[in-house]
Amino acid sequence: MIDMDEMRAALDDEQAVAVYSDAKRLLVLAPPGSGKTRTLAYRFARLVNEGAQPREILAITFTIRAAEEMRQRILSLVRVDASQIVVGTFHSFCLRLIESLGQKVKLYGRADTIAFFRKAGAKNPVRAASRVSSVKNGALASSEDETALFNDYQAHLIEARALDLDDLVPEAIRLMEQGVDGMIKPTHILVDEYQDINPAQERLLKLLLKPESSLFVIGDPDQAIYSFRGACLENILNFEANHPRGEVLRLDKNYRSTGNIVFASSSLIQNNVKRLYSEARPHRRDGEVIRIVECNDAKAHSGFIVKEIEAMMGGLSSLTASASGVRRFSDFAVLFRTHRQADELVKSFSKSVIPYQYVNNAGDDIGAVIALLKGAVICDDENVAGFVRARLREAGIERCPTLPHLCRYAERAGKDALRAFIEETLLMEEADNLDIVVDKVSLMSIHSAKGLEFPVVFIVGADDGVMPLRFKNSASDVEEERRLFYVAMTRAKDALYITREGKEPSLFLDELGPSSISRIKIEKKKTIRRMKQNALFGDDFS
């Protein structure tokens, strides 16, 4: 176990104050790149060092991927059995809580919900599943023509005695409010990404808290981008009012991004009114300018991105790393506002020799995996990953992009590995479909990229109507759209490109500040002028 002096030495001044605060109710404001995960993990370790039993501490994150990262951080700091560490998503925690109270749960994952709407004849089953999720989370009301279909879906769940992901938190609350025997409340609760919680999740936290319990939440209102899931920004804005004697601390250093990226993104987000002051100071030098690239259409900017990655890799004589050894394919991310924008990107990357992964809702893949594994029996000494792969091969499913990612979680599940694998699969969100180990360029939505970082980021489609997104029948929330653009910008560590198609430019481009911007125009049917490779790297690589 790491000793107290080593812990303090590993933290900056602001992080140390947060880790060692004795406040019973504490909000830590953490802008991008400020060491949020490190601070939460060290807070956990500090509690254990001071005598708290790991099982008394509950750490909640918003994705399976983030929970696994947190678990590994904690295990590097405290020498305890991994099974003693309770880290998970709201969904996974509530599933375990419900089952611990003697309730058998038949769980519907996203793939099951999509399959229901497909069978029911919905025009767009994926969209229908997304909208029913939003309705259940209080983010919107169902339209008149959707109500009957949604009611059919809920009746189907009741008949099947099943819960879907959005039922888990309300069901846990119902059982807790009924005072079901056997409920064990944690002594310490740590919550990551606090700006993303919805009213039901806030209610759950209050029910879990005992008067003597401590609550440590960390987040950033400038990164609140999930109102479509019912997330309520007011929870973090009004933390002190909602939690008497609550305190607020701030982390203020950005260790991730170059100074130019930090200054431009800060200039952007300061245009929002609904925020708490938490300005980040860059730890790194200014670095490269931000490049705004104007193209004629989606095909042109997709082609530009492919060629720019080829150039930065020093040519593609090697498919594993650049000639200089500086960049890997996994260093690059291409981010978009909607999946509709991905079509042309996928076409361009498919025609190139650049390895890539498109991170989307792998509903069909997940459904196929679950269908094969339900009812299967695995021997105690059999490796779950090998077992799953063998079953998929037998069924002729050669490639399931989410499989390696899932198998890494299943390896630590012991004798209940197969059951854990199935439950973990059902609980997956789109963001969990990214394989962070493979050396491939990532194509993904901005929502899926939250919590990640990449040396080089391309943001696609900075045009009015796309960012901010304009909706047919409802007004756009410009402040949330600005937060989304801010999240996209702050995923970049070294280099940031923003492309647009020559239509009406996004209003956000004028909010970045002039000093760190370079504008490039790609003319139709003209050769793209290549930059020298050395000019594409910041001072750190010269």
Side-chain angles (χ1 to χ4, degrees):
M1 183 179 294
I2 189 169
D3 65 36
M4 300 292 277
D5 291 337
E6 285 182 84
M7 283 181 61
R8 286 186 180 274
L11 302 167
D12 69 25
D13 291 344
E14 289 78 17
Q15 291 167 353
V17 170
V19 167
Y20 290 99
S21 170
D22 291 324
K24 284 290 187 182
R25 305 288 185 270
L26 180 64
L27 164 64
V28 179
L29 296 174
S34 59
K36 175 171 61 66
T37 305
R38 167 185 289 266
T39 302
L40 197 149
Y42 273 75
R43 176 78 174 192
F44 193 111
R46 172 236 166 157
L47 294 171
V48 173
N49 271 344
E50 293 181 354
Q53 294 299 311
R55 282 195 170 278
E56 296 175 354
I57 308 170
L58 168 64
I60 296 181
T61 68
F62 271 81
T63 65
I64 294 171
R65 181 189 65 219
E68 184 65 13
E69 180 186 353
M70 182 64 65
R71 182 187 302 276
Q72 295 307 319
R73 290 277 191 109
I74 292 168
L75 285 172
S76 72
L77 300 173
V78 295
R79 293 175 185 169
V80 297
D81 190 296
S83 65
Q84 299 292 307
I85 296 177
V86 187
V87 183
T89 64
F90 274 102
H91 289 151
S92 64
F93 169 73
C94 287
L95 177 60
R96 304 292 178 265
L97 187 150
I98 293 165
E99 291 178 337
S100 73
L101 295 176
Q103 307 287 319
K104 291 194 71 174
V105 176
K106 180 179 180 182
L107 184 62
Y108 264 42
R110 298 293 184 207
D112 296 303
T113 305
I114 292 168
F116 169 85
F117 284 113
R118 182 178 290 122
K119 189 175 181 181
K123 290 181 180 177
N124 187 329
V126 174
R127 183 175 181 272
S130 176
R131 285 185 63 82
V132 78
S133 177
S134 295
V135 170
K136 286 193 172 191
N137 284 297
L140 54 83
S142 59
S143 62
E144 199 170 308
D145 59 336
E146 291 172 326
T147 301
L149 192 57
F150 288 178
N151 287 343
D152 287 346
Y153 170 68
Q154 201 58 29
H156 172 75
L157 288 179
I158 293 170
E159 184 179 350
R161 297 184 177 180
L163 300 175
D164 68 14
L165 300 188
D166 300 303
D167 295 326
L168 290 172
V169 174
E171 179 64 11
I173 289 172
R174 185 185 70 81
L175 293 172
M176 292 177 69
E177 289 180 335
Q178 285 183 349
V180 176
D181 291 338
M183 176 66 223
I184 300 174
K185 293 186 177 182
T187 304
H188 306 280
I189 300 176
L190 313 177
V191 183
D192 192 12
E193 304 287 9
Y194 183 68
Q195 75 279 351
D196 292 331
I197 70 170
N198 62 35
Q201 291 161 344
E202 176 75 0
R203 174 65 181 156
L204 177 74
L205 292 176
K206 288 182 176 178
L207 288 170
L208 286 170
L209 281 170
K210 299 177 287 189
E212 68 275 17
S213 298
S214 73
L215 175 66
F216 178 95
V217 302
I218 191 164
D220 179 11
D222 290 338
Q223 296 183 73
I225 58 173
Y226 287 111
S227 66
F228 69 93
R229 292 183 182 171
C232 181
L233 181 59
E234 280 66 27
N235 285 322
I236 192 168
L237 296 180
N238 300 328
F239 179 82
E240 290 174 286
N242 294 336
H243 296 275
R245 293 172 290 135
E247 296 183 15
V248 178
L249 297 174
R250 290 170 171 81
L251 308 182
D252 65 359
K253 286 193 185 74
N254 184 314
Y255 293 96
R256 175 189 299 158
S257 305
T258 61
N260 280 333
I261 294 170
V262 173
F263 290 133
S265 58
S266 295
S267 174
L268 169 83
I269 203 62
Q270 285 170 14
N271 289 279
N272 272 6
V273 174
K274 296 177 72 173
R275 62 191 300 261
L276 297 172
Y277 178 80
S278 57
E279 187 172 350
R281 294 185 291 113
H283 182 72
R284 300 177 59 193
R285 289 176 288 180
D286 286 351
E288 299 181 38
V289 297
I290 296 169
R291 297 174 179 86
I292 298 177
V293 183
E294 183 178 325
C295 304
N296 288 287
D297 51 32
K299 184 177 181 180
H301 72 222
S302 296
F304 169 81
I305 291 169
V306 167
K307 290 176 181 178
E308 203 66 23
I309 292 174
E310 289 176 357
M312 277 188 270
M313 293 295 288
L316 292 176
S317 57
S318 167
L319 290 180
T320 56
S322 68
S324 63
V326 174
R327 296 285 184 219
R328 294 172 58 82
F329 290 111
S330 55
D331 289 342
F332 300 91
V334 185
L335 309 183
F336 40 82
R337 176 63 180 87
T338 70
H339 280 284
R340 195 174 303 162
Q341 295 170 270
D343 293 345
E344 199 60 54
L345 289 165
V346 170
K347 285 180 187 176
S348 293
F349 275 89
S350 297
K351 291 175 183 175
S352 79
V353 292
I354 297 175
Y356 73 96
Q357 57 177 327
Y358 172 33
V359 181
N360 65 348
N361 190 322
D364 291 335
D365 295 317
I366 296 300
V369 172
I370 296 301
L372 283 170
L373 298 179
K374 279 183 177 176
V377 178
I378 186 169
C379 300
D380 288 342
D381 60 348
E382 195 168 358
N383 177 281
V384 65
F387 176 83
V388 171
R389 288 191 179 100
R391 292 297 294 266
L392 290 177
R393 279 196 300 271
E394 291 168 10
I397 301 175
E398 299 299 327
R399 289 189 70 255
C400 175
T402 58
L403 180 61
H405 187 58
L406 288 165
C407 285
R408 282 191 287 275
Y409 294 131
E411 296 294 353
R412 60 175 167 76
K415 64 178 183 178
D416 293 325
L418 188 58
R419 175 177 170 274
F421 181 97
I422 292 172
E423 286 186 350
E424 205 83 46
T425 305
L426 288 169
L427 291 167
M428 282 182 66
E429 299 282 358
E430 180 180 291
D432 292 309
N433 290 327
L434 174 73
D435 192 335
I436 59 175
V437 175
V438 297
D439 188 22
K440 296 180 179 181
V441 176
S442 296
L443 314 181
M444 60 200 308
S445 71
I446 300 170
H447 284 100
S448 294
K450 187 151 172 291
L452 299 174
E453 58 182 43
F454 301 89
V456 184
V457 168
F458 296 84
I459 303 174
V460 175
D463 298 283
D464 186 65
V466 179
M467 287 187 278
L469 189 64
R470 306 291 184 191
F471 299 96
K472 275 186 178 181
N473 301 317
S474 61
S476 175
D477 182 343
V478 174
E479 291 215 350
E480 177 148 341
E481 292 291 311
R482 186 177 286 112
R483 291 193 293 268
L484 195 61
F485 200 72
Y486 175 76
V487 165
M489 292 181 68
T490 54
R491 300 311 93 198
K493 297 169 68 177
D494 305 328
L496 175 62
Y497 292 75
I498 303 171
T499 73
R500 52 176 300 259
E501 294 182 17
K503 302 170 186 175
E504 187 69 23
S506 169
L507 63 92
F508 300 147
L509 295 181
D510 289 333
E511 299 176 351
L512 304 182
S515 60
S516 60
I517 304 295
S518 171
R519 296 180 184 269
I520 303 169
K521 188 167 185 176
I522 306 301
E523 299 290 352
K524 193 173 184 180
K525 295 183 180 178
K526 288 188 179 180
T527 303
I528 300 173
R529 182 172 60 84
R530 298 260 46 89
M531 301 177 187
K532 288 184 181 179
Q533 183 176 344
N534 288 342
L536 292 172
F537 298 104
D539 296 335
D540 292 341
F541 299 103
S542 59

